[in-house]
Amino acid sequence: MTDKAVQISITLTVEGHAYDFQEEIPLQAVEQTIKAMTQGISQQLFLGVIQAVDQRYARSVPKGWRNVGTEERQVVTSLGAIRYRRRIYLDEAGQRRKPVDELLGVQRYERMGGRVKETAAALASVGTYRQTAVQLSYLAHTPISPSTIQRMIWALGNHIANEEEAERQRIFTSGEQVAGGKITAPVLYGESDGVWLHLQREKRKSVEVRVGLMSTGRKPIGKDRFRLENKHWITAIGVNSEAWQEQILREAHLHYDLESTHLLVCGGDGNQWVRHSFDRLQIRQEFVLDRFHLQRAARRAFQDHKVARQAVEQLRQQGFQSVQPGLRVLIQQSQGKKREKLEDFYRYVHHNQDGLLDLKYRGISQPACLGAIEGNVDKLVVHRMKGRGCCWRLPGARAMLAICRHAQQLAGHAYEYLPVFSGHTNPPISSNLTVEYAEVLHASIPLFQGPDQNKPFAKRLHDYIYGR
């Protein structure tokens, strides 16, 4: 074999302009040379398309616009760092307009393309900023620093969070109508829980993240293994109970056909805001106390797994009244820390006695597809945002929560962005998060669930309370 290289010649045409590519590919480095060649061809085609688009705009520019010259711009794309020139215009109001940048979605002073930012967000949702910088530098063929990754995550994540907050305000403040979801859910399952994050350079040392989980049931995927169907996550940081309930109502309305839902089975650890997370849905609710927390409380109180298991089974089958006399006797006969633990357990089950019975003992034939909130909180928040010495600024935590929630859509470049402005006269929502720690006392009113709920006075009271 005498020849040591292969000659390749490629001619491409963009809007009548031909681009010739010729390369010698050495047999010792075929793969590396072809990869570098295809990257160079992709970048040249990108520049050719930009030039063609710029010329089209020049021929169809509005009459009131004035060309003030050209400027050079460098943007890191998924094809690598690309430097190009484009025309600059002044519109009728004297504002500088750059049609090519507007078409590419590149903002002023921005150096990263949209697909690069979404790829960085998907990588940062599972790894640190430093790891993301190494991975993205390899994918984009351009050195990218961890601080650049941080700025991109803050900007993109808070932009997504601002979009969702703007839509919530449009719905609950301005009364804007939005299309409902298409997923039929005769029975809807909802769970909520909180997880605390460490903060740095903030007024407080920690902040609670609220996590909600909704699904239409579960299906088996193996022996004693199940997967939730039509699962949807909701997260929030630094909001009160009212805003949290509105966010859950918005997400549930956008993803599920609530008109077909006649029962909502909700679960949680019994915390005040957890119990009332789904009140705004105005669907018949059956609260089930999370079995993990119930069993843990029983083990702490009795310190005997067999006795604790028997107590939990009795609570689940017969309710609080069946164990109340025995618990009182045990408390009176105990002293010290043992008595304190029994009293804590008594208060816990007494406060959540409406959620102790299993659904079949309440006359409901539906399965209780609950108990997945702990594992999903770990997957969504804990694995990325806790441990390894993680401490967050509030804007950074808010941005990362939004990105973790939409990581799958961002990885596939399929996320649909929403308008941030709630109207032409309203300013955009600031990303400077102010934590609201004030809690509004929420409680369910039996009148709205009982036999008199359709009477005129009950409807008027309901409309008055919910501001309709």
Side-chain angles (χ1 to χ4, degrees):
M1 191 172 181
T2 57
D3 295 336
K4 296 183 179 181
V6 176
Q7 299 288 334
I8 292 182
S9 178
I10 300 176
T11 301
L12 299 175
T13 304
V14 179
E15 292 282 337
H17 189 280
Y19 295 89
D20 294 327
F21 303 93
Q22 296 183 0
E23 190 75 28
E24 279 193 0
I25 300 181
L27 300 182
Q28 296 83 0
V30 176
E31 185 176 354
Q32 300 91 314
T33 308
I34 291 179
K35 181 179 179 181
M37 181 181 178
T38 53
Q39 182 185 354
I41 292 175
S42 301
Q43 293 181 353
Q44 189 63 42
L45 287 177
F46 188 89
L47 292 173
V49 171
I50 287 179
Q51 184 179 1
V53 170
D54 194 26
Q55 292 175 355
R56 283 189 180 183
Y57 275 118
R59 292 192 295 267
S60 60
V61 68
K63 293 183 180 180
W65 288 24
R66 181 167 58 89
N67 187 356
V68 294
T70 62
E71 287 184 359
E72 192 175 61
R73 182 86 182 260
Q74 178 173 318
V75 176
V76 177
T77 69
S78 57
L79 305 174
I82 295 178
R83 189 180 298 272
Y84 63 91
R85 298 190 70 88
R86 76 279 195 234
R87 292 179 174 87
I88 310 299
Y89 299 92
L90 288 180
D91 60 11
E92 299 88 345
Q95 300 292 327
R96 289 168 61 87
R97 301 294 297 273
K98 305 168 185 177
V100 173
D101 291 353
E102 295 175 6
L103 177 66
L104 297 177
V106 181
Q107 303 296 326
R108 190 179 183 184
Y109 303 125
E110 201 170 43
R111 294 294 178 264
M112 298 291 170
R115 294 179 70 88
V116 173
K117 291 189 294 184
E118 292 180 347
T119 302
L123 293 174
S125 67
V126 295
T128 63
Y129 292 154
R130 192 172 299 278
Q131 293 172 341
T132 302
V134 173
Q135 296 166 348
L136 192 62
S137 298
Y138 172 78
L139 294 175
H141 311 285
T142 302
I144 299 175
S145 66
S147 59
T148 301
I149 299 295
Q150 182 197 36
R151 290 193 295 271
M152 282 195 292
I153 297 304
W154 279 38
L156 180 60
N158 280 297
H159 181 77
I160 293 175
N162 288 343
E163 292 175 351
E164 296 173 344
E165 176 63 20
E167 186 175 66
R168 186 185 70 83
Q169 289 192 5
R170 287 194 297 269
I171 294 173
F172 294 101
T173 302
S174 304
E176 181 177 316
Q177 299 293 325
V178 295
K182 303 298 182 182
I183 300 176
T184 303
V187 179
L188 197 60
Y189 298 90
E191 297 180 79
S192 57
D193 198 7
V195 56
W196 288 86
L197 300 180
H198 296 291
L199 298 178
Q200 60 179 340
R201 290 182 286 171
E202 299 289 351
K203 294 181 179 180
R204 299 184 67 92
K205 294 183 178 180
S206 60
V207 64
E208 186 179 24
V209 176
R210 300 189 179 192
V211 182
L213 177 66
M214 304 189 73
S215 67
T216 57
R218 65 183 183 183
K219 61 179 180 180
I221 58 175
K223 184 178 179 180
D224 298 328
R225 297 180 62 221
F226 300 89
R227 176 180 295 164
L228 294 180
E229 293 186 298
N230 302 313
K231 179 174 65 175
H232 185 68
W233 282 315
I234 309 102
T235 60
I237 182 172
V239 299
N240 57 24
S241 294
E242 185 176 2
W244 171 241
Q245 292 178 9
E246 290 178 352
Q247 186 168 345
I248 286 182
L249 175 59
R250 166 190 169 271
E251 296 286 345
H253 176 74
L254 291 175
H255 289 84
Y256 303 102
D257 181 13
L258 298 181
E259 296 294 332
S260 63
T261 304
H262 60 80
L263 176 63
L264 171 66
V265 180
C266 57
D269 59 5
N271 191 293
Q272 179 72 15
W273 68 264
V274 170
R275 290 177 59 90
H276 299 286
S277 293
F278 303 92
D279 284 0
R280 291 296 297 270
L281 270 63
Q282 289 300 297
I283 300 173
R284 177 195 168 193
Q285 290 189 29
E286 289 292 338
F287 175 74
V288 179
L289 183 64
D290 187 80
R291 299 319 186 195
F292 166 77
H293 291 88
L294 177 60
Q295 294 171 1
R296 185 178 65 178
R299 288 195 300 268
R300 289 176 176 175
F302 296 103
Q303 300 178 359
D304 186 323
H305 287 196
K306 184 177 180 180
V307 176
R309 193 183 313 113
Q310 293 175 351
V312 170
E313 289 298 323
Q314 189 174 356
L315 287 169
R316 294 176 61 176
Q317 297 176 9
Q318 303 177 30
F320 174 70
Q321 300 300 328
S322 64
V323 301
Q324 185 180 17
L327 278 177
R328 286 181 174 177
V329 172
L330 284 176
I331 292 173
Q332 293 174 357
Q333 295 175 350
S334 302
Q335 294 180 352
K337 291 185 178 180
K338 184 177 181 180
R339 179 167 184 167
E340 293 178 1
K341 292 179 179 179
L342 287 172
E343 289 176 343
D344 291 340
F345 179 70
Y346 183 91
R347 286 191 293 267
Y348 184 66
V349 293
H350 177 266
H351 178 69
N352 298 285
Q353 57 182 299
D354 59 333
L356 296 174
L357 287 176
D358 290 345
L359 293 182
K360 63 180 179 180
Y361 296 107
R362 307 182 195 184
I364 300 174
S365 60
Q366 297 293 336
C369 302
L370 302 173
I373 185 64
E374 294 290 340
N376 280 276
V377 167
D378 287 348
K379 296 174 186 176
L380 186 66
V381 181
V382 175
H383 290 173
R384 176 59 184 92
M385 304 185 69
K386 288 181 70 69
R388 298 177 298 181
C390 286
C391 289
W392 298 87
R393 296 289 307 279
L394 282 173
R398 181 174 183 253
M400 182 55 67
L401 281 174
I403 285 174
C404 289
R405 195 166 59 252
H406 300 288
Q408 187 174 0
Q409 295 94 320
L410 292 170
H413 307 293
Y415 177 76
E416 297 182 4
Y417 293 91
L418 302 171
V420 175
F421 290 87
S422 56
H424 294 292
T425 59
N426 293 341
I429 299 172
S430 173
S431 62
N432 295 327
L433 180 65
T434 301
V435 181
E436 174 60 61
Y437 291 95
E439 285 291 337
V440 179
L441 180 61
H442 289 271
S444 59
I445 301 178
L447 176 64
F448 298 154
Q449 307 293 336
D452 297 331
Q453 59 178 324
N454 294 323
K455 293 185 177 180
F457 74 91
K459 290 183 177 181
R460 285 197 299 270
L461 178 60
H462 178 276
D463 294 342
Y464 176 77
I465 291 176
Y466 290 99
R468 297 177 182 175

